[in-house]
Amino acid sequence: MIWEKEYEKSAHMAQRHFRKDVAGFRERRRLELEDLLRTEQKKPEDMRDEAKIRWILEELQRTDG
């Protein structure tokens, strides 16, 4: 039936859009973490939060893995 083909096409398009959004989220997350790391590393050494830097590095490793 025509409506079945339209439904399948619609479902397929929705799945493609979802995958694109997920990939975009991962990339944005990575960019935000890298920016946060740069910001933290630019601070004078006595004002840096070493625990935060370690956490950011761990998160970046997770996004690569």
Side-chain angles (χ1 to χ4, degrees), residues 36-65:
L36 191 58
L37 181 61
R38 275 192 300 276
T39 301
E40 196 63 35
Q41 289 175 333
K42 285 180 184 176
K43 291 180 180 178
E45 202 165 316
D46 60 332
M47 295 186 70
R48 289 183 194 164
D49 185 345
E50 294 300 324
K52 187 176 188 178
I53 292 173
R54 280 193 303 276
W55 175 82
I56 295 168
L57 292 171
E58 289 170 4
E59 287 295 310
L60 284 169
Q61 284 180 337
R62 277 191 212 117
T63 60
D64 289 342

Side-chain angles (χ1 to χ4, degrees), residues 16 31 51:
R16 281 182 54 205
L31 292 172

